[in-house]
Amino acid sequence: MELLLQRAYFKQGTNGTLFASDTSFDSVQDRFLCHTIELPWRNNKRNISCIPEGVYEIIPRFSKRFQHHLILKNVRGRSFILFHPANDALRDLEGCIAPVTYLSGIGKGIYSKDAMQKLLSLVYQAKDRKEKITLTIKSQNYENYRTL
């Protein structure tokens, strides 16, 4: 399964839109999953920056703190970059990515737990099918983006 995160960068945070790529026959269709919030870009500095654009493998993970969540593998210069619920990037994130149902501002969103459940469901289904799960992060083309 391939996930695509299209980002828009702002001084106060990074907002994104997450899609799942469905390949059927000769065409590829990107299906909207949710929005995302992250910290602003600060040169990939640990705990204060979003991660660099690129392609990452995603693995489901469990911890006492975040319960079921996702971890990104092989992030250059970083470790333990997670997908986990949060509604305010500056307050709740230390370099991770939070799925949100709706964007409510720059680096802010609502109904993060609902968006996380939707994402986890798709990832676990792909894992059951023994598919590799990848995330491609790139800059947003503003056509599909909600104006704030």
Side-chain angles (χ1 to χ4, degrees), residues 1 18 31 33-35 61-62 66-70 83-86 98-101 110-125:
M1 178 172 81
L18 187 64
R31 182 169 41 111
L33 293 179
C34 62
H35 295 285
R61 184 172 180 267
F62 183 87
F66 294 113
Q67 302 294 306
H68 290 281
H69 60 279
L70 305 172
F83 260 98
H84 67 80
V100 294
T101 303
I110 57 175
Y111 303 118
S112 185
K113 288 181 182 178
D114 294 344
M116 188 71 206
Q117 283 305 118
K118 182 178 181 179
L119 179 57
L120 282 171
S121 175
L122 286 174
V123 167
Y124 276 105
Q125 288 173 44

Side-chain angles (χ1 to χ4, degrees), residues 48-102:
I48 64 165
S49 176
C50 59
I51 62 171
E53 294 179 8
V55 180
Y56 304 98
E57 184 177 358
I58 292 181
I59 308 239
R61 184 172 180 267
F62 183 87
S63 71
K64 282 185 179 182
R65 181 175 177 190
F66 294 113
Q67 302 294 306
H68 290 281
H69 60 279
L70 305 172
I71 188 167
L72 279 68
K73 305 302 276 179
N74 301 317
V75 178
R76 181 178 42 89
R78 306 277 288 277
S79 59
F80 291 98
I81 301 299
L82 311 176
F83 260 98
H84 67 80
N87 293 309
D88 184 325
L90 292 176
R91 185 188 66 209
D92 304 329
L93 298 177
E94 295 178 353
C96 297
I97 303 169
V100 294
T101 303
Y102 301 104

Side-chain angles (χ1 to χ4, degrees), residues 6-8 19 138-145:
Q6 294 183 334
R7 282 178 171 164
F19 299 91
K138 60 184 180 180
S139 291
Q140 176 74 283
N141 60 6
Y142 289 90
E143 331 170 334
N144 302 321
Y145 202 72

